Structures are given as structure tokens and as C-alpha cells.
Amino acid sequence: MQTASPQDDRDLLQRMWAGDEDAFTVLYRRHQGAVYRFALHMSGKTDIADEVTQDTFMLLMRGRNQYDPSRGSLSAFLYGVARNHVLRALERERPYAASEDADIPVDSGDVLGDLTRSEQIESVRQAILSLPQPYREVVVLCELHELDYAEVAAMLQCPVGTVRSRLHRGRALLVWKLRASERCSV
Amino acid sequence: MNSNDQRLDDALRAVAGSGPQGAPIAVEAALRREFRQRAHWRRIRIGASWAGLTAVAAAGIIAFMLARPAEIRPPKALWARIEVPQIPATRPVARQQIRRRRVKPQATEVATSFYSLPEASSMTPLEYGSVVRVQLPRSAMRVVGLPVNQDRVLERIQADVLLGQDGLARAIRFIQ
């Protein structure tokens, strides 16, 4: 999300709740990119990302009782709302059936070396999408959105240690999946 | 960090930087349309709320006015500001003259004790007040529970009304 001081966001929120459309537009343009990309990285579907973005900001405009600034930043709140919507949408569709307890073989060899850039991006994207949801969301938030562990832990309401371990396991799963996909393509 | 980790980091960065970076413009347009509609309805709701509050307040005032006994309302003319009489310049007078001129109190005036008016208990406590003499129909005596002769109910009677610091009547006594 674009860098914005919490005070800026708070002022804009007050103006938005008072009916100022310009304030809403500024807030939307400031935060929509992160919400949209998060939904897209989590679901792999633009229609879900559209829907999640719309629902997230609808909730924000609905009123003051939806967001309490004393409990965290607006961006964390929006990520949290978007996450709930994404999980609901994925629950509805269940497009990927991934095993959470997949065995992770020991790393060996240069598994990503031979992929061309576009293939590599697509392979990694598919690999992320096929990760079990708890690993996928920490990979998306920590690696793709570059949020720090504490922010992600607060968002997921789990200890920082859990975020670290999920990220470690998620990355290992990614390497393993990418190597497997490379084997299949050979 | 081994080479796979490094390459994975590079690949993740590439994924983060690829693909659409934001929602289509149609999403923003839909949200802004929704915002305008909500703002419109919100303005209508606020207007309706104020109208409702005003109506309730007006109804409350009317109910209060109707609930007050009409008899204790002194005639408008008697609420007029009492002019302070012009005191002529004093001349030194002898002590004897003063004694001679002292007016005897009117023995004929008999007053009841002060009776608290029904709504006085709900008013702010009396800090200071003033007494205003008024003329009322005898039926006003019923307000404080005094008996009234039916034949004389339309006669007028003098009364002292105790007004509080806010100008509202707190108590009354009747003069015979």
C-alpha cells in the first residue's frame, strides 16, 4: 500500500464519513492496489479480486463502527477485511485442493535456473496459488507485499513465530513444487 | 541463503511486480456511485431526523403548556416590569416627624402561607426570587388545594406569586 501516515488516513476517514467523496477517492486510490493485488495473489482470479476490492471498500464506507483507528492502521484493517472476503470466495469455489501436510524433500540442485522469465513468473504464481491457504497468505503478505512479520501476525491474529515458521515452510513448499513442475515439463 | 533461496526471492519479486497492480477503473466508478447514493440517503435521513426531533420537541412543549393549570398563569399585563417609583429628594426631617408619619400596617390584609406550585418541584432550585402581586380568578386557589366557593369562583382575588431567578413561578399565597 502507498505510504500514508495514520493521521492522514484518519483525517480522510472523518471527511469520508461526513460525506466527502473526494476524501473517499483519495483513500481508495491510496489503498486499492494492495487490496486488489492481495486478493489476486491469493485467488488467482481477477473477478474475485474485483469483488473483494469492491466489498472491502463498501464495508469501509458503511460507517464508523466498522473501523476503530485505535486498534491498528487502516491498511492492516483493509488487509484483514480483504482476507476474510478472499477466504469466503475461495471457500465458495474451492479451486485448488492442496495437501497441508505434503512432504518436503531436501533441497538439491538449481531448480529455477533454467526457467525463462515469463515461464518462471507463471510457474511461481501457480505454485503460490497451489500452496495451502495458511502458507499462501504469509508468502503473499511477507514476500509479495513485503509486510513485516509483526504486521502479518497482527493481521492473522497469531504469534510472530507462527508467521516465521509458516513462511519457512511455504518457501520450502514453493521450491519443491517448482522443482516438480520442472520435472514434469522435461 | 543458498542459490535456490536467492532465485526464489528473485522470482517472488518478479511475481510481485508483474500482472495488474490495481483494480479496474470500473470498480472505482461503481464504488463512487455507491458512495454518492449513500451520501444522498444519509442527507435525507439526517434531515428527517431533525424534522422528527423538532416535531417531538414541539409536541413536548405543547403537552407541557396544556398540562400546566391555566388558573395560575397571571394575566399578561401583570407580568409587566414594575417601574421603580421616583423617590423625591429627601429633606432632613425631625425625629418627631418621622415617628408621627410612620404608617400603621394594614390590619385588614390577611394572607395565606405560600403554597408550592405543582411544577415547582421539577424546576431548578430557588436561589433568589421576587414576589409579584397579581390578580387571579378565585378558581386559581384550587391549584394548591384550597376550597373555593362555587358562587364566587369567577371573582378575582389578589395573590402574591413567588418568582424564581429564572422568572418562573414557584409558589403562591392568596390575600384576603
Side-chain angles (χ1 to χ4, degrees):
Chain A
M1 290 194 194
Q2 286 177 27
T3 313
S5 76
Q7 191 56 45
D8 280 353
D9 280 348
R10 247 174 264 175
D11 290 344
L12 287 167
L13 277 170
Q14 293 300 330
R15 283 171 50 200
M16 182 192 84
W17 286 327
D20 185 342
E21 189 182 338
D22 292 340
F24 170 73
T25 307
V26 173
L27 271 178
Y28 173 79
R29 290 181 182 166
R30 185 178 286 172
H31 295 285
Q32 61 88 19
V35 171
Y36 181 84
R37 277 182 282 118
F38 171 73
L40 186 60
H41 289 141
M42 285 293 288
S43 67
K45 296 193 169 188
T46 52
D47 56 341
I48 290 182
D50 289 359
E51 182 192 315
V52 166
T53 307
Q54 190 157 336
D55 290 348
T56 301
F57 283 93
M58 285 285 284
L59 187 103
L60 185 66
M61 78 166 74
R62 226 171 266 161
R64 289 155 207 272
N65 51 348
Q66 303 296 336
Y67 167 59
D68 177 6
S70 66
R71 295 180 63 188
S73 68
L74 179 62
S75 66
F77 170 77
L78 292 174
Y79 269 121
V81 175
R83 176 177 175 256
N84 290 338
H85 284 299
V86 167
L87 295 185
R88 254 190 302 231
L90 293 179
E91 189 67 26
R92 255 191 342 252
E93 305 209 348
R94 286 189 177 278
Y96 302 101
S99 163
E100 298 205 10
D101 295 319
D103 288 334
I104 306 169
V106 179
D107 240 0
S108 65
D110 187 0
V111 294
L112 299 168
D114 298 331
L115 292 171
T116 62
R117 184 176 167 80
S118 60
E119 284 173 335
Q120 185 187 32
I121 289 171
E122 192 49 38
S123 299
V124 175
R125 188 176 287 135
Q126 289 305 321
I128 292 169
L129 286 170
S130 67
L131 285 175
Q133 176 252 316
Y135 304 125
R136 194 185 334 148
E137 59 190 7
V138 289
V139 167
V140 168
L141 292 169
C142 296
E143 299 289 359
L144 302 187
H145 290 236
E146 296 179 335
L147 300 183
D148 62 40
Y149 295 162
E151 277 181 290
V152 176
M155 209 179 299
L156 304 182
Q157 296 177 330
C158 66
V160 173
T162 305
V163 174
R164 275 183 211 279
S165 65
R166 282 182 189 173
L167 183 61
H168 179 76
R169 191 171 172 80
R171 285 177 63 97
L173 275 170
L174 273 181
V175 171
W176 178 65
K177 283 171 185 289
L178 289 168
R179 199 172 61 183
S181 71
E182 188 200 15
R183 274 208 207 105
C184 288
S185 64
V186 171
Chain B
M1 187 178 275
N2 64 30
S3 66
N4 272 346
D5 279 332
Q6 184 59 54
R7 285 174 188 280
L8 182 60
D9 283 342
D10 294 343
L12 287 170
R13 265 194 293 276
V15 169
S18 68
Q21 296 296 303
I25 198 74
V27 174
E28 180 181 331
L31 281 166
R32 288 179 69 171
R33 200 165 44 246
E34 178 68 22
F35 186 90
R36 275 193 292 274
Q37 278 179 355
R38 280 179 178 275
H40 174 71
W41 282 111
R42 188 170 166 272
R43 278 194 294 273
I44 289 175
R45 272 203 307 276
I46 289 171
S49 303
W50 275 110
L53 278 175
T54 310
V56 168
I61 290 168
I62 290 168
F64 176 74
M65 297 299 282
L66 291 176
R68 289 181 73 186
E71 290 86 349
I72 64 164
R73 277 184 226 144
K76 260 189 175 174
L78 295 176
W79 284 96
R81 190 183 294 274
I82 298 169
E83 295 292 333
V84 178
Q86 290 288 325
I87 301 169
T90 53
R91 281 181 304 175
V93 289
R95 286 176 72 91
Q96 293 245 325
Q97 280 179 303
I98 294 170
R99 261 204 303 275
R100 216 171 40 239
R101 283 190 176 188
R102 191 174 288 158
V103 180
K104 280 185 183 176
Q106 287 190 342
T108 53
E109 190 173 274
V110 178
T112 64
S113 53
F114 272 101
Y115 292 95
S116 178
L117 289 171
E119 66 270 31
S121 59
S122 61
M123 294 178 185
T124 53
L126 184 67
E127 292 168 10
Y128 59 88
S130 55
V131 175
V132 177
R133 180 152 294 186
V134 296
Q135 278 199 331
L136 299 172
R138 265 180 191 278
S139 58
M141 294 167 70
R142 285 187 184 139
V143 174
V144 293
L146 294 174
V148 180
N149 186 337
Q150 276 300 321
D151 299 332
R152 303 177 65 189
V153 78
L154 294 177
E155 286 180 14
R156 298 188 80 74
I157 188 170
Q158 283 197 322
D160 287 339
V161 178
L162 173 63
L163 304 176
Q165 66 277 8
D166 48 11
L168 297 176
R170 299 296 207 291
I172 191 167
R173 74 177 176 187
F174 295 95
I175 314 296
Q176 205 171 24

